Amino acid sequence: MIIGMGSDLCNIERIQNSLDRFGTRFENRVFTEIELRKAARRPHTKAGTLAKRFAAKEAFSKAVGTGFKAGVFMKDIGVVNSPSGAPTLALTGGARERLDALVPVGHAAKVHLTLTDDHPWAMAFVVIEALPSE
């Protein structure tokens, strides 16, 4: 069963402006080390890479119904790749706690994530599914 769904559209130029203005202070406040390493490997599209991840964080916060309050922080939501290369989310802290609170007893959460960008826009869509535990 679907227990949450969220989407976000992010302007890549807005992320570039934040990188130019605040630099590593912005990066370290918002993004995980894994996300920053991925972006560093893409110097020509760094802002786009980070904008997609920013959108994923926003989309997840909408899917769990909190936004960035109730203990859910941006750095608790990290975009990682599964072994197949598909993007998914690694959750810690308040983001993990909020997700766990939504999942019905006897079920486990599966987070689906899709990312795309076409300059100047980046988009993310999150669907949270509760699957019966075996």
Side-chain angles (χ1 to χ4, degrees):
M1 83 182 84
I2 306 275
I3 59 173
M5 182 165 52
S7 66
D8 191 66
L9 185 65
C10 180
N11 187 290
I12 295 168
E13 292 170 2
R14 184 175 135 228
I15 298 299
Q16 184 63 62
N17 290 340
S18 293
L19 291 168
D20 294 342
R21 184 170 179 197
F22 302 109
T24 57
R25 193 171 87 194
F26 169 68
E27 291 177 2
N28 293 330
R29 182 174 182 205
V30 174
F31 300 103
T32 66
E33 288 299 317
I34 291 170
E35 293 169 322
L36 292 172
R37 283 195 304 269
K38 177 90 149 187
R41 291 192 305 267
R42 300 173 170 177
H44 294 21
T45 59
K46 180 178 180 176
T49 298
L50 293 176
K52 286 187 283 190
R53 282 143 184 82
F54 190 95
K57 294 165 189 289
E58 291 276 0
F60 175 82
S61 76
K62 293 172 185 176
V64 295
T66 60
F68 293 105
K69 57 184 181 181
V72 176
F73 299 102
M74 284 198 161
K75 280 198 78 159
D76 291 342
I77 306 161
V79 176
V80 296
N81 294 93
S82 67
S84 70
T88 190
L89 296 176
L91 304 169
T92 60
R96 169 54 62 192
E97 291 170 13
R98 177 63 182 158
L99 177 62
D100 290 345
L102 290 175
V103 179
V105 174
H107 290 74
K110 178 169 174 99
V111 177
H112 304 273
L113 169 65
T114 187
L115 304 170
T116 191
D117 66 299
D118 186 9
H119 195 85
W121 300 107
M123 192 212 75
F125 193 77
V126 170
V127 175
I128 302 171
E129 182 180 18
L131 299 171
S133 301
E134 295 186 51

